[in-house]
Amino acid sequence: AHVFRTIASGQTWSELETGELNELQKMRNLKQLLGDLKAYYRDSLEAPLPQEIDILDILEGHETAICHFAALVLGCAVQCDEKETYIMN
């Protein structure tokens, strides 16, 4: 969770973590974060996302979708310029 908060800093992840957002807000935030992940993979890594993720599957708690989403976030963390910071934390 710390890595998610660091990568996606601000109140979005904090609120998602504590359940303070309603479902529509969660969906919007996840859609935005997924869009940012896609842009990072496309622009910085010059590669498409390794797998597509359905936001509804994440919200419904599907383990496979959550694991794929976490893998995408961690993939960004270990491939970015500041990877040493993220890996050490």
Side-chain angles (χ1 to χ4, degrees), residues 34 37 41 49-51 53 67-77:
L34 188 56
L37 288 170
Y41 272 82
L49 287 179
Q51 65 258 344
I53 297 175
C67 289
H68 286 164
F69 185 74
L72 290 176
V73 173
L74 293 173
C76 289

Side-chain angles (χ1 to χ4, degrees), residues 1-13:
H2 174 69
V3 173
F4 290 148
R5 280 191 298 264
T6 304
I7 294 171
S9 61
Q11 65 183 20
T12 302
W13 266 111

Side-chain angles (χ1 to χ4, degrees), residues 35-81:
D36 291 344
L37 288 170
K38 286 180 181 181
Y40 180 79
Y41 272 82
R42 181 188 65 238
D43 300 340
S44 298
L45 302 179
E46 297 178 354
L49 287 179
Q51 65 258 344
E52 284 296 319
I53 297 175
D54 186 350
I55 294 170
L56 290 177
D57 287 344
I58 295 171
L59 290 173
E60 291 173 358
H62 294 255
E63 187 174 323
T64 302
I66 293 169
C67 289
H68 286 164
F69 185 74
L72 290 176
V73 173
L74 293 173
C76 289
V78 299
Q79 295 183 57
C80 73
D81 294 336

